Every structure is written in C-alpha cells, then in structure tokens.
Amino acid sequence: MVTARSKWGSWRSEAVLFCGLRDVWESRLSGWDWAWEFRELGPKDPMRDLLQGGYLVLERVFRRGRSEMLEWEFHVVLDPTYEVPAAYARACRVDGSALSVEDVLLELPPTSTGVSLEDHPVLNEPFLFFHACSTHELLDALDHDQLPLLTWFLVAGPNMGLRIDPRQWPTFLKYLDDQRNASENLASLANKARLWI
C-alpha cells in the first residue's frame, strides 16, 4: 500500500494547482465562485512544519440559508494525523452576527456526517470540523494519484455544500495536465542548466 504522504507529494504544490483552477472555473454551472487561496504560514509559525507550509481558504461564500442569507468560510488543511485533507467551516449572518452551532449544522446538506465543533489548528477559533478519519480509506478506493486534492474535493465538497458540476471536469483535467506538463518542462530545463554551470 502506498502511504498518503507519497500520494500527496508536495501539499503546497497540490494546493497551488487547486487554487489555479479559478482560471477555468465557470461559477454559473455550480453557483459559487472558485476563489480558493493558499495561506502560507510564516517561517516562525509553530504550525508551519506540521501543516506542510500552509492551508487553503475560501472566504465570502454567500448562500441563502433556511431563513436568511449567510456568509460561509471554508479552510482545508493537510491533517497531520491522517495525512489527508481535512475541512473546516464556519458561517455567520451577512451583518457579521454569529449563528449558534445548532443553526449552522442545520444549514449543512443532509448528507453531511462526521461534523463537530473544534478549534482551527492555526486560528485557534471554533470551526465546524469535517472529520478526516475515514478519508484515507475512501481515497484509497479511488484512483487519486494524479489529482489527489481535486479527487478529495469531489468527494468532500458536497458535504460542505460545495459541488463541482460534472461539466467542469474536462476543463479542469486539461488545465491541470497543462500546468503539470509546464512544471515538468521547467524542472527539466533547470536540471539541464545545472549541468552547464
């Protein structure tokens, strides 16, 4: 069995590729904007090594709740225990006022399971935590060697109410393939340049 770390390679590289999908995202298909960003942790941040340099953030996702408009924030870290992505989320009213945990849980899709309130590993603030304990087994059942973060998101996103329309997949796959090919070409050139120096 291949370990999770070898499948993830560089968390930062995978996360940056994942964020770059905004260049080909069509929000009209799924109803939300792809505005993920990679938050780099500072060199002296005690969580930097544990979280492999940083985490993904998607902020200001506005969705109609059961009775009012809500603003959501999503974070994804590489879980240091299970070595798979783990999601955190929180929501508030548009005016910034807080919702009770019970109200936020009621706003999640009915299929959401394994959710609890826990402190965010970097911010030390309460967030909903989507448990990662069975993610490794789930991902092992899928072929995610080439697109590990996107494959994870395809499975985990709907639990957070963030769905990728299947019509997006061909565009995503072409974009990621082009990016990886460009990266491999640059690495090859850099290796050749080292031989000349």
Side-chain angles (χ1 to χ4, degrees):
M1 182 156 129
V2 181
T3 65
R5 223 178 257 296
S6 65
K7 286 188 179 183
W8 290 107
S10 165
W11 167 250
R12 186 183 190 294
S13 297
E14 285 300 320
V16 169
L17 268 176
F18 185 78
C19 293
L21 291 170
R22 80 169 49 103
D23 296 340
V24 294
W25 179 255
E26 294 181 44
S27 61
R28 65 180 174 74
L29 294 178
S30 296
W32 55 280
D33 289 328
W34 192 278
W36 289 98
E37 66 178 69
F38 185 73
R39 287 256 166 95
E40 189 89 36
L41 297 174
K44 294 183 180 183
D45 191 304
M47 296 300 289
R48 182 180 174 84
D49 290 339
L50 194 60
L51 297 180
Q52 294 193 18
Y55 59 101
L56 288 163
V57 177
L58 175 65
E59 298 175 310
R60 303 189 54 79
V61 176
F62 295 96
R63 291 198 303 229
R64 171 133 313 274
R66 292 177 305 133
S67 61
E68 62 191 308
M69 189 64 87
L70 300 176
E71 180 179 347
W72 285 84
E73 177 179 351
F74 302 94
H75 295 204
V76 179
V77 303
L78 187 62
D79 186 283
T81 303
Y82 296 104
E83 297 180 333
V84 295
Y88 291 82
R90 64 181 171 185
C92 64
R93 293 181 181 89
V94 177
D95 66 6
S97 60
L99 292 167
S100 71
V101 174
E102 294 79 18
D103 286 341
V104 176
L105 287 170
L106 287 172
E107 297 296 342
L108 292 173
T111 56
S112 296
T113 59
V115 181
S116 64
L117 188 66
E118 296 196 16
D119 282 346
H120 188 286
V122 176
L123 304 176
N124 292 319
E125 296 173 6
F127 271 71
L128 292 180
F129 174 63
F130 296 81
H131 291 270
C133 53
S134 61
T135 303
H136 196 311
E137 291 80 20
L138 180 63
L139 288 174
D140 278 346
L142 302 169
D143 178 18
H144 73 286
D145 290 339
Q146 297 302 312
L147 306 166
L149 193 50
L150 188 57
T151 302
W152 168 82
F153 189 76
L154 179 67
V155 174
N159 283 335
M160 300 178 280
L162 299 174
R163 182 181 144 291
I164 297 177
D165 189 291
R167 293 174 286 178
Q168 293 277 117
W169 272 91
T171 308
F172 276 14
L173 295 176
K174 181 176 180 347
Y175 172 85
L176 290 170
D177 198 37
D178 290 348
Q179 294 302 310
R180 285 212 168 97
N181 287 338
S183 184
E184 287 170 11
N185 290 340
L186 285 174
S188 175
L189 286 173
N191 286 333
K192 287 177 184 175
R194 282 190 204 109
L195 294 175
W196 296 330
I197 297 174

